[in-house]
Amino acid sequence: MAYDTAILFRDDSYLRETEGTVLAINARGGILTDRTVFYATSGGQPGDTGVFVRADGSIISIAVTVTGESKDEIIHVPASGQVVPAVGEKLILRIDWGRRFKLMRMHAACHLLSVVCPYPITGAAVGEDDSRVDFDLPDAGVTKEGVTAKLMELVQANHPIFTRWITDEQLAANPGLIKSKNVRPPAGTGRIRLVCIGENASVDSQPCGGTHVATTGEVGAVHIGKIEKKGKENRRFRIRFGPLPEGE
Ligand SMILES: [Zn+2]
């Protein structure tokens, strides 16, 4: 059975909480609600953690959020030993905003890295403190100092970051939008969410369902911690917060 959940983070990634009603508890104890601000693990970005607040003020801790049979089915997985809410119960759904904001900054930084390094992407994982992007890039020829400097130019330019929806046909007509070598954005749903950077997407646009900050300036100071060789044709770039440490 499919559940119809209003997915609020797609249009406003800055929402920290919402009221919601429990639609169902699945066989594994996961909670489905009629609306949510909790991002579910996908596209290399981990799902949100947080709490559900009940009418009496007591709290149900949410350990992770995942998708079900489709990306529109969002399942909030409680930590062990939590009280199970009743179907129909009204709750306040509140994410761990400190963690999410770091993930939004990091996720946007990964997009900026794909602008600085315009090579096919073979993998990516966004983390709170350390993210990685793997590129199909046989010869390094790039340094962490050089890439960090170009990343920070984009951060300091404070470009807007926004989303735009296009049709499957528009995506098919613009294959250059897809930067992932192995991962295809889901086609067949009729519409694709593009994440755009710069006025009129002048800096970048690519299909992505994740959450990002609204300007590149909010990414703040980041640096390339490491460029690792992963096989003959792959380079793994690690992004970390803060300025590039001196003397490394
Ligand atoms: Zn993204």
Side-chain angles (χ1 to χ4, degrees), residues 180-198:
S180 300
K181 200 177 174 189
N182 308 321
V183 186
R184 303 268 112 188
T189 57
R191 57 181 213 150
I192 306 280
R193 183 180 189 253
L194 284 187
V195 172
C196 306
I197 305 176

Side-chain angles (χ1 to χ4, degrees), residues 107 111 195 208-212:
H107 194 145
H111 284 245
V195 172
C208 182
T211 62
H212 316 79

Side-chain angles (χ1 to χ4, degrees), residues 15-18 37-38 48-53 59-60 62 91-97:
L15 285 176
R16 303 176 187 202
E17 66 176 48
T18 183
V37 292
F38 281 67
D48 281 319
T49 58
V51 293
F52 286 0
V53 185
I59 271 171
I60 299 166
I62 302 301
L91 302 163
I92 303 284
L93 287 57
R94 183 181 297 149
I95 59 171
D96 178 343
W97 173 250

Side-chain angles (χ1 to χ4, degrees), residues 11-235:
D11 293 319
D12 186 355
S13 59
Y14 286 79
L15 285 176
R16 303 176 187 202
E17 66 176 48
T18 183
E19 275 188 352
T21 302
V22 177
L23 292 181
I25 310 292
N26 74 12
R28 294 189 198 161
I31 305 169
L32 291 100
T33 52
D34 64 338
R35 46 205 273 128
T36 191
V37 292
F38 281 67
Y39 181 79
T41 303
S42 71
Q45 181 180 333
D48 281 319
T49 58
V51 293
F52 286 0
V53 185
R54 308 181 79 196
D56 66 1
S58 66
I59 271 171
I60 299 166
S61 284
I62 302 301
V64 70
T65 309
V66 296
T67 51
E69 285 176 22
S70 76
K71 293 224 169 184
D72 292 331
E73 192 169 301
I74 297 202
I75 301 167
H76 311 86
V77 182
S80 63
Q82 302 297 297
V83 170
V84 180
V87 171
E89 185 171 337
K90 283 192 168 31
L91 302 163
I92 303 284
L93 287 57
R94 183 181 297 149
I95 59 171
D96 178 343
W97 173 250
R99 175 175 179 271
R100 159 71 91 71
F101 189 60
K102 279 196 206 169
L103 292 169
M104 284 164 52
R105 290 172 59 203
M106 269 295 190
H107 194 145
C110 291
H111 284 245
L112 296 181
L113 178 57
S114 78
V115 173
V116 172
C117 298
Y119 311 106
I121 294 171
T122 55
V126 180
E128 293 168 64
D129 301 309
D130 178 296
S131 298
R132 65 170 175 81
V133 182
D134 298 340
F135 293 99
D136 184 346
L137 174 58
D139 175 20
V142 286
T143 63
K144 57 186 184 179
E145 291 79 11
V147 174
T148 297
K150 286 185 182 163
L151 271 179
M152 286 312 297
E153 273 176 33
L154 290 168
V155 169
Q156 277 148 13
N158 203 24
H159 296 292
I161 304 177
F162 58 95
T163 59
R164 173 187 285 172
W165 292 89
I166 60 168
T167 63
D168 286 347
E169 292 74 30
Q170 287 170 308
L171 183 68
N174 294 282
L177 288 172
I178 300 167
K179 300 191 175 184
S180 300
K181 200 177 174 189
N182 308 321
V183 186
R184 303 268 112 188
T189 57
R191 57 181 213 150
I192 306 280
R193 183 180 189 253
L194 284 187
V195 172
C196 306
I197 305 176
E199 294 296 335
N200 299 313
S202 56
V203 175
D204 190 45
S205 59
Q206 59 181 293
C208 182
T211 62
H212 316 79
V213 286
T215 60
T216 62
E218 283 178 271
V219 170
V222 287
H223 67 276
I224 299 300
K226 234 187 240 176
I227 302 175
E228 300 163 274
K229 196 173 171 187
K230 289 278 164 189
K232 213 156 89 183
E233 300 191 335
N234 269 283
R235 293 293 181 283

